[in-house]
Amino acid sequence: MERVKKIKSGDVRTASRLIRNLEDGMDEARAMMKHIFPLTGHSHVIGITGSPGAGKSTLVDGLVESFRKKDKTVGVLAVDPTSPFTGGAILGDRIRMQRHAEDPGVFVRSLATRGALGGLAKAVGDAIHIMDVMGKDIVLVETVGTGQQEVDIINHSHTVIVVLIPGMGDEIQAIKAGILEIADIFVINKADREGSSKLRREIMAMLDMAPASAFPAGWRPPILKCDNAFEPVGFTKSLEEMSQTIENHYQHLVKHDLLGSRVHRKAAMELNEAIRCSVLDPVLSALAANGELERMVEQLMKKDTDPYTLAEEIARRYLKTAP
Amino acid sequence: MGEKKIRVMVAKPGLDGHDRGARVLSRCFRDAGFEVIYTGCHQTPEQIASAAIQEDVDVVGLSCLSGAHRYLFPAVAKLLKEQGAGDITVVGGGIIPEQDFKLLYDAGLKAIFVPGATLDGIVDWFKTNIKPRD
């Protein structure tokens, strides 16, 4: 495979095109992933998530800088939302990262969610593999601005960073589940603003109440503060601390043999996705193409039948093992 | 399966901070169903070419209101060609006098949009002339 060789040698054009073909759902691109998948496993994948405007892109930019100082090559996958009405998207994360545009050790690729709900795009998993095979030491994945439940990022990352900013809610928000439970590292960004100490206390209290099992091999998520990006000295210092903490987390995973559980989680999710893609999608598109899907919806509107009966009928038709 | 989307990069080369037009256009392209990568102001031609390749766009739309289009637009087109990405369409817009059109077309630009161009007209041009690659 000529193109796999090119990707292995780090060819940006070939890699970006393959990512695009995967986004567009082309069968040929999926077939190519069969050759990419066995070559993966080199990169440290770091997920960065948090609410819109929390400063994720700016932190990613700063992290790229600090990893480059340590001579590590970096891939960035930045996800922004697709408009549910027009299908278009404005991908603006790159604005904060353009100073690395000419550095051959950095590859930044923007992706639109295209209807995916978990805070990422469907092609992100494959795009991570591609950057991995290109030889990137670090792959940073920036989610869309998230709320409380967009937790897909844990399925793809070895290290998850949750970025919070002061003034986003009281402690009731902190004891809720979801996004706060997935953090390996908390970052309080814009920490010069009022309320950052209170936010820190709230996260501490939340962590104090968590069962010991929430901290694999004793890793209690550290809470870092990050100074205003417009104060370069403090900001750079904050980022160096952050990249060191990320490195420590990875060492912790390696030392306590926890990397396997993360890889397992990702593999299980990928299998799930692939089955959905190979089994469910063709059934749905066949039903849509011959108009049956629409007829079933009409039947449901008239209450002639129910969704459960219809689904069972479809299962009997398409699955050999269905009862 | 799936759908091939048009990917557009909107870029502002050089020392020009007037980005209202570029932002309005980005929004229009989004509403037309394109995926738009916007890279902000003050970009060098090198940054723009490199970003266009990393993002695998079909077309780069350059906006320049400073008068430096005679240098900046051809520079982007040349860099793309040199880096094996001559198939990425380059178009430009801004305050561009008619006597400069030939120089820009000769440099490889496929369209130039000047004051008076309508948003619908620009989007139509893109829909007609830009085909997402396979």
Side-chain angles (χ1 to χ4, degrees):
Chain A
M1 290 294 275
E2 187 57 32
R3 276 183 296 168
V4 176
K5 232 184 261 167
K6 273 190 163 170
I7 288 170
K8 265 181 82 175
S9 72
D11 186 78
V12 169
R13 196 111 215 267
T14 314
S16 190
R17 176 63 54 84
L18 178 58
I19 294 173
R20 182 160 184 208
N21 291 347
L22 288 159
E23 290 183 284
D24 285 346
M26 288 167 62
D27 293 337
E28 171 264 353
R30 265 193 100 203
M32 187 118 146
M33 287 311 294
K34 293 180 189 167
H35 303 280
I36 297 283
F37 183 83
L39 307 173
T40 57
H42 164 78
S43 307
H44 177 192
V45 184
I46 301 157
I48 299 184
T49 188
S51 55
K56 296 180 293 298
S57 302
T58 305
L59 290 181
V60 167
D61 173 67
L63 284 174
V64 170
E65 166 103 357
S66 82
F67 284 126
R68 288 301 290 147
K69 275 192 205 151
K70 295 176 187 166
D71 228 14
K72 293 185 189 253
T73 54
V74 185
V76 176
L77 293 164
V79 187
D80 261 335
T82 294
S83 156
F85 299 110
T86 67
I90 293 182
L91 310 171
D93 292 325
R94 237 199 134 85
I95 298 176
R96 316 260 177 253
M97 309 171 195
Q98 267 301 80
R99 64 180 165 138
H100 306 292
E102 286 177 73
D103 177 351
V106 180
F107 175 18
V108 179
R109 180 64 158 73
S110 316
L111 295 105
T113 53
R114 299 202 184 182
L117 295 176
L120 294 173
K122 215 170 138 195
V124 158
D126 287 333
I128 292 170
H129 286 325
I130 291 165
M131 288 192 163
D132 186 334
V133 171
M134 287 173 85
K136 302 295 176 215
D137 301 317
I138 304 283
V139 177
L140 290 159
V141 183
E142 178 187 338
T143 71
V144 297
T146 49
Q148 295 171 321
Q149 198 55 58
E150 296 93 335
V151 295
D152 277 3
I153 189 70
I154 55 164
N155 291 325
H156 295 281
S157 323
H158 302 117
T159 305
V160 175
I161 301 173
V162 172
V163 184
L164 300 165
I165 46 176
M168 291 291 281
D170 58 16
E171 55 194 285
I172 299 300
Q173 301 296 343
I175 56 172
K176 280 189 188 166
I179 197 137
L180 292 175
E181 286 179 305
I182 66 171
D184 296 306
I185 298 167
F186 285 102
V187 173
I188 298 178
N189 200 22
K190 311 185 190 185
D192 50 327
R193 289 194 185 176
E194 194 185 324
S196 76
S197 302
K198 183 163 173 279
L199 177 57
R200 187 187 162 82
R201 281 199 306 277
E202 285 165 5
I203 303 167
M204 294 274 268
M206 181 196 79
L207 293 173
D208 288 342
M209 287 170 70
S213 61
F215 308 139
W219 179 271
R220 183 184 153 118
I223 307 167
L224 308 179
K225 286 192 174 185
C226 186
D227 281 347
N228 194 321
F230 293 108
E231 305 284 348
V233 177
F235 185 63
T236 307
K237 229 178 111 205
S238 303
L239 280 153
E240 248 131 53
E241 189 190 4
M242 208 179 301
S243 68
Q244 189 52 51
T245 310
I246 291 169
E247 180 62 22
N248 294 349
H249 179 250
Y250 193 75
Q251 293 310 328
H252 179 86
L253 292 178
V254 172
K255 190 172 151 209
H256 297 279
D257 216 12
L258 292 165
L259 216 47
S261 73
R262 307 251 162 169
V263 177
H264 182 277
R265 191 161 64 188
K266 173 157 183 165
M269 183 274 309
E270 284 183 314
L271 182 60
N272 243 307
E273 251 325 290
I275 292 173
R276 178 183 297 273
C277 206
S278 298
V279 179
L280 184 61
D281 288 354
V283 172
L284 280 174
S285 45
L287 291 173
N290 65 16
E292 217 177 328
L293 208 59
E294 187 53 37
R295 280 198 296 280
M296 288 178 181
V297 173
E298 309 257 328
Q299 283 179 334
L300 288 180
M301 286 171 68
K302 286 186 250 154
K303 301 264 184 326
D304 286 348
T305 177
D306 59 87
Y308 320 103
T309 310
L310 287 174
E312 280 169 15
E313 271 175 34
I314 294 163
R316 270 196 296 278
R317 197 183 328 159
Y318 285 96
L319 298 177
K320 280 186 187 155
T321 53
Chain B
M1 297 279 296
E3 165 200 13
K4 286 183 195 165
K5 289 213 189 208
I6 294 179
R7 272 172 85 85
V8 184
M9 195 165 99
V10 175
K12 287 199 63 71
L15 296 173
D16 169 17
H18 300 89
D19 63 345
R20 185 64 53 91
R23 289 182 191 214
V24 169
L25 259 179
S26 297
R27 170 64 196 264
C28 265
F29 289 148
R30 189 205 80 166
D31 290 346
F34 307 163
E35 288 184 352
V36 188
I37 293 101
Y38 180 57
T39 51
C41 297
H42 312 312
Q43 302 294 301
T44 65
E46 286 80 6
Q47 285 176 315
I48 292 170
S50 158
I53 290 170
Q54 290 184 20
E55 296 288 352
D56 193 30
V57 294
D58 299 302
V59 52
V60 178
L62 300 168
S63 156
C64 180
L65 309 177
S66 70
H69 53 268
R70 286 172 62 95
Y71 167 72
L72 292 165
F73 290 5
V76 172
K78 183 162 166 265
L79 283 164
L80 284 173
K81 261 181 228 139
E82 282 170 4
Q83 293 170 39
D87 53 321
I88 297 178
T89 304
V90 182
V91 301
I95 313 288
I96 298 168
E98 230 177 292
Q99 64 259 35
D100 291 346
F101 283 18
K102 186 173 181 309
L103 178 137
L104 297 177
Y105 285 131
D106 287 348
L109 270 80
K110 290 288 181 293
I112 296 157
F113 303 100
V114 292
T118 63
L119 293 170
D120 287 345
I122 297 172
V123 167
D124 277 348
W125 189 93
F126 273 63
K127 282 187 171 163
T128 314
N129 293 284
I130 306 295
K131 296 279 172 268
R133 296 158 308 189
D134 42 38

